[in-house]
Amino acid sequence: MIEFERAGKTYPDGTVAVGEFSLRIPSHTTTVLLGSSGCGKTTLLRMVNRMVDPTSGRVLIDGEDVAQEAPVALRRRIGYVMQNSGLLPHRRVIDNIATVPRLTGMPRGAAHERARELMRTVGLDSGLARRYPGQLSGGQQQRVGVARALASDPNILLMDEPFGAVDPLVRMELQRELRRLQTQLRKTILFVTHDIDEALALGDQIVVLQPGGQIAQAGTPEEIVAAPANDFVARFLGLDAGRRSLRARPQPGGGWLVSDAGGRPLGVLPDDPAREGPG
Amino acid sequence: MNHLSAAVDWLLDAQTWTGPGQLGARATEHLGYTAVAVLIAAVIALPAGLAIGHTGRGRAAAVLSSGAVRALPTLGLLTLAALAAGVGLVAPLIALVVLAVPSILAGAYAGVESVDRATVDAARAQGMNAWQVLWRVEVPLGLPIVIGGLRLAVLQVTATATLAAYVGAGGLGRPLFLGLRTYDYPMMLGASLVVILLAILLDACFEVVQRLLSYAPGLARTGRLREAR
Amino acid sequence: MANAGHILGLTGAHLQLSLPAIAAAFLLSLPLARLANRLRPARALILGGTGLLYAVPSLPLFIVLPVLIGTGVRDTLNVIVALTLFGLALMVRSAADALDAVDEDTRLAATALGHSSRGRFWTVELPLAGPALLAGLRVVSVSTISLVSVSAVLGVQSLGSLFTDGFQRGIVAAVAAGIAMTVLLALLLDLLLVLLGRLLMPWSRR
């Protein structure tokens, strides 16, 4: 479990990145911090592995204040995935994945064995092991990034807009893969994004943030879509523009055509009463 | 063109090359000065430059000093050192080291700075300590530029080492100045050609190393550090 | 006071050697750079040639050059040509990079507006490459000023004569004065170039 206790970050020049933030993140669940740029979501994420130290309040992992831990050791037991993967361009895929096990002193052979196993886990062809990151597609790079973060078998996975730089189709595929991985691995995931659909697709808990790290609303995806706490949340989700108020019209051949409030088609709902409708 | 053929004749004469104080020994001296000066400069400037690049501290001072040294006339530095330290080897060596330090320093910090901040950030996030970030990420990725700094230093030192003979040192400047004083044009022309050839050869060695590095995947494209000689 | 007059005279001689070389290097670098950017085969030749020139030490070039262009070693022209070549070695690469760095979209937009290739060079590419060209010119200027003094060992008069005279007669003050004047001259010229740049390129002021 990760707990933020009135954590805040003010930079020496007086900029307040995060005012005062409190949140409890249960183990083995995915929590999404959702907000536009400048809302402090990355700062919050980085407080967990001490890439940023809060100037007030504290962050606890399983009841222990992270400030008591040496940053380097802490980071080695927390997985971190970032946008544009952050892979080391001069190391082969297999060595990139083996980074943390090698740092913690695992012998090369064992670390590579572990890395190969992880490549299978994240759905990477083993033929890519000897490639360099620059020789991979964006989607493959992100998979390597995820594999690297999992290498030390951390309990916690921090993900900072990991799929932000890949094209929409690949992004959806990666999201699907992450959901599959999560049912299998059951990590405590803290995921940062500005993409509402991504948040709805991945989060067990979604925290909508306003500038300065203010929580606008925290809840399950259903709660947030069904009952936005205020105008800010509604606007952020596109509820006010009718993007998520759906209409279904019967189709001549059976089934329903679903469109949003503006009349733009979103998809087709089959005539099967056993299936759940979209939304 | 008469002078040129006379110079070539002089160069092709075995007597010109063999024996103490002849061209072979002078070329060895010249390379020796260059190697020692660049080595001393590297011992001073590499750690300092890497530290500046890694921490970002002291950068302004480093930029200022390399700019100032660029404006410093090498002959002035050399004669000043000679007047202070006396005729011999110490004075030119001091001058050569002073000349070489800024290039190597600039190459080192520019190399480290050239590494994508996101990559460094990710390395830290994986749990590398400062030392590991420097040696496993910043130095290997910035290597082409660090070597570019060394290349520039070697170039400057090779050129200036020719002037060292003016203040009493050896090296290939010796026959050049001897020819100049005795109006022996073939000798000074021949010696000049050898210096030029040596400088181009040394530079070509660096070119080869940097080309090889540029084939290494993931490394920054070889940036040749351009500054005044 | 006599010293001051002497130093002033040498400063004048110094400028007479360096200013024409700086100007010539700058002006010649532009067509060369443009050619290098437009013709691929010319690029390897021009950039390779200037790269090679860059490695040549100054004193030997002062001595070898007369064989090629028929001047005397101590001629003013010999020194100016050699300094121009060194200037070119620095400037052609920076000019080629500067012109190459002009945004492709801007270039296309200018073409779409109906500029001819030549017109586009003068009205769009040159002004936009201006700040980078100025940066290159400043390096050339500083290095030329400091390089001129090497020619003093050949007997050519410049601030470098203070080094040779001072060394032979053992006068530290003369050498120190020579260094100070050279650095001062380099800084003044640099300042002048920066001011000129602000005047010609008001948009680049930060």
Side-chain angles (χ1 to χ4, degrees):
Chain A
M1 184 167 65
I2 306 169
E3 283 165 288
F4 288 87
E5 280 188 3
R6 311 176 66 165
K9 177 73 185 178
T10 306
Y11 284 98
D13 66 356
T15 317
V16 179
V18 175
E20 194 184 288
F21 184 86
S22 296
L23 182 73
R24 175 169 298 197
I25 295 160
S27 296
H28 312 301
T29 63
T30 303
T31 296
V32 177
L33 300 180
L34 174 65
S36 39
S37 58
C39 71
K41 54 192 192 298
T42 296
T43 307
L44 286 168
L45 188 81
R46 288 173 158 239
M47 284 180 182
V48 178
N49 73 347
R50 293 198 64 190
M51 295 286 280
V52 170
D53 281 322
T55 43
S56 62
R58 52 185 197 158
V59 179
L60 309 167
I61 295 176
D62 296 333
E64 308 266 342
D65 188 348
V66 294
Q68 303 302 317
E69 287 205 53
V72 167
L74 180 72
R75 288 169 201 158
R76 285 178 189 174
R77 62 180 187 85
I78 296 179
Y80 194 104
V81 190
M82 60 197 283
Q83 195 173 358
N84 295 320
S85 72
L87 299 175
L88 300 179
H90 61 304
R91 299 261 188 102
R92 294 176 194 278
V93 165
I94 187 127
D95 293 314
N96 261 294
I97 298 174
T99 301
V100 179
R102 292 290 286 140
L103 285 177
T104 50
M106 189 186 279
R108 201 176 134 91
H112 276 194
E113 191 41 54
R114 170 90 181 122
R116 281 182 204 287
E117 182 189 318
L118 281 163
M119 286 183 73
R120 280 191 294 279
T121 310
V122 300
L124 277 170
D125 188 273
S126 62
L128 299 175
R130 308 285 299 160
R131 297 253 188 107
Y132 288 92
Q135 300 166 329
L136 304 182
S137 72
Q140 288 169 333
Q141 288 183 22
Q142 288 311 132
R143 283 174 198 262
V144 176
V146 173
R148 176 175 69 173
L150 292 171
S152 62
D153 197 16
N155 291 324
I156 296 171
L157 210 51
L158 304 177
M159 307 185 85
D160 189 359
E161 307 218 19
F163 311 140
V166 293
D167 68 67
L169 277 180
V170 178
R171 189 183 315 158
M172 281 166 71
E173 191 187 318
L174 288 170
Q175 289 164 0
R176 220 166 26 239
E177 284 276 302
L178 184 62
R179 273 203 306 268
R180 177 183 66 77
L181 269 178
Q182 175 63 347
T183 52
Q184 190 184 323
L185 301 171
R186 303 193 9 90
K187 304 288 183 193
T188 306
I189 299 179
L190 188 54
F191 193 108
V192 159
T193 185
H194 62 258
D195 178 344
I196 304 102
D197 296 305
E198 186 161 77
L200 294 175
L202 295 175
D204 297 316
Q205 176 182 217
I206 294 177
V207 180
V208 186
L209 292 173
Q210 279 172 279
Q214 296 267 346
I215 298 181
Q217 187 174 6
T220 63
E222 290 81 6
E223 283 165 3
I224 285 180
V225 172
N230 53 36
D231 283 354
F232 178 85
V233 178
R235 239 189 352 265
F236 199 84
L237 267 67
L239 294 176
D240 62 333
R243 245 191 65 183
R244 290 185 195 280
S245 43
L246 308 181
R247 278 166 207 182
R249 264 180 299 149
Q251 291 210 96
W256 301 75
L257 179 70
V258 181
S259 57
D260 68 11
R264 286 184 299 270
L266 294 173
V268 176
L269 183 66
D271 236 349
D272 183 355
R275 277 179 94 157
E276 275 182 48
Chain B
M1 283 298 155
N2 243 347
H3 287 310
L4 191 59
S5 61
V8 171
D9 283 346
W10 180 74
L11 283 177
L12 291 179
D13 189 352
Q15 289 250 299
T16 307
W17 289 87
T18 50
Q22 296 303 88
L23 222 45
R26 292 297 178 213
T28 315
E29 269 175 357
H30 203 101
L31 284 173
Y33 294 171
T34 307
V36 170
V38 171
L39 206 70
I40 294 174
V43 166
I44 299 167
L46 278 181
L50 294 179
I52 290 168
H54 182 78
T55 61
R57 255 171 276 167
R59 192 177 182 283
V63 172
L64 206 69
S65 77
S66 55
V69 170
R70 183 193 286 167
L72 222 55
T74 55
L75 185 65
L77 200 60
L78 213 52
T79 46
L80 192 67
L83 286 180
V87 171
L89 206 54
V90 179
L93 218 50
I94 293 170
L96 294 180
V97 169
V98 169
L99 279 176
V101 161
S103 306
I104 301 175
L105 192 73
Y109 74 68
V112 170
E113 279 176 2
S114 74
V115 179
D116 188 358
R117 285 299 101 188
T119 306
V120 174
D121 191 57
R124 285 182 58 224
Q126 304 307 316
M128 287 195 189
N129 60 36
W131 195 247
Q132 288 163 334
V133 168
L134 180 68
W135 287 107
R136 299 186 187 194
V137 182
E138 289 173 329
V139 169
L141 286 175
L143 198 59
I145 295 175
V146 177
I147 290 180
L150 282 169
R151 177 179 184 173
L152 195 61
V154 167
L155 211 66
Q156 289 164 320
V157 169
T158 316
T160 308
T162 319
L163 292 174
Y166 186 78
V167 294
L172 287 167
R174 254 304 183 33
L176 196 152
F177 279 108
L178 186 62
L180 195 67
R181 275 181 208 123
T182 59
Y183 295 92
D184 185 344
Y185 202 73
M187 185 194 266
M188 75 185 200
L189 190 56
S192 296
L193 288 173
V194 173
V195 174
I196 290 175
L197 210 65
L198 186 77
I200 289 178
L201 269 177
L202 282 177
D203 200 47
C205 290
F206 275 97
E207 179 75 27
V208 169
V209 170
Q210 289 189 311
R211 282 277 165 91
L212 289 178
L213 272 183
S214 74
Y215 290 123
L219 289 197
R221 285 209 69 91
T222 303
R224 185 168 172 177
L225 216 69
R226 298 228 136 218
E227 262 189 81
R229 71 206 53 233
Chain C
M1 228 35 224
N3 275 345
H6 180 54
I7 291 176
L8 214 60
L10 291 176
T11 307
H14 203 94
L15 285 174
Q16 271 172 28
L17 291 169
S18 46
L19 290 182
I22 295 168
F26 181 70
L27 293 177
L28 287 174
S29 72
L30 292 178
L32 283 173
R34 188 151 186 253
L35 196 66
N37 280 346
R38 286 163 65 95
L39 288 175
R40 283 286 137 189
R43 185 180 180 83
L45 195 72
I46 291 172
L47 294 185
T50 50
L52 203 66
L53 195 61
Y54 185 73
V56 174
S58 53
L59 181 59
L61 187 68
F62 285 136
I63 291 169
V64 171
L65 200 58
V67 179
L68 303 173
I69 62 172
T71 51
V73 169
R74 292 180 179 82
D75 287 359
T76 310
L77 185 65
N78 182 48
V79 175
I80 291 177
V81 171
L83 292 172
T84 304
L85 287 175
F86 285 130
L88 278 176
L90 286 166
M91 193 66 213
V92 169
R93 170 61 68 119
S94 20
D97 289 347
L99 292 173
D100 213 26
V102 174
D103 188 32
E104 187 58 33
D105 288 341
T106 313
R107 219 177 305 205
L108 285 174
T111 311
L113 284 174
H115 279 298
S116 68
S117 161
R118 183 183 299 263
R120 198 185 59 193
F121 178 75
W122 289 108
T123 56
V124 179
E125 289 170 28
L126 197 60
L128 284 182
L133 287 173
L134 179 65
L137 183 59
R138 289 175 61 189
V139 173
V140 171
S141 140
V142 171
S143 74
T144 306
I145 294 279
S146 105
L147 207 55
V148 173
S149 35
V150 171
S151 67
V153 300
L154 303 169
V156 180
Q157 290 284 305
S158 72
L159 283 172
S161 308
L162 290 170
F163 306 145
T164 50
D165 292 351
F167 175 66
Q168 260 141 29
R169 292 155 58 194
I171 309 172
V172 176
V175 176
I179 294 178
M181 278 308 288
T182 314
V183 172
L184 194 68
L185 209 57
L187 287 180
L188 277 178
L189 199 59
D190 194 52
L191 196 67
L192 210 64
L193 285 173
V194 171
L195 289 176
L196 198 68
R198 291 222 177 139
L199 206 67
L200 291 176
M201 301 177 289
W203 65 86
S204 66
R205 198 177 310 170
R206 274 181 287 175

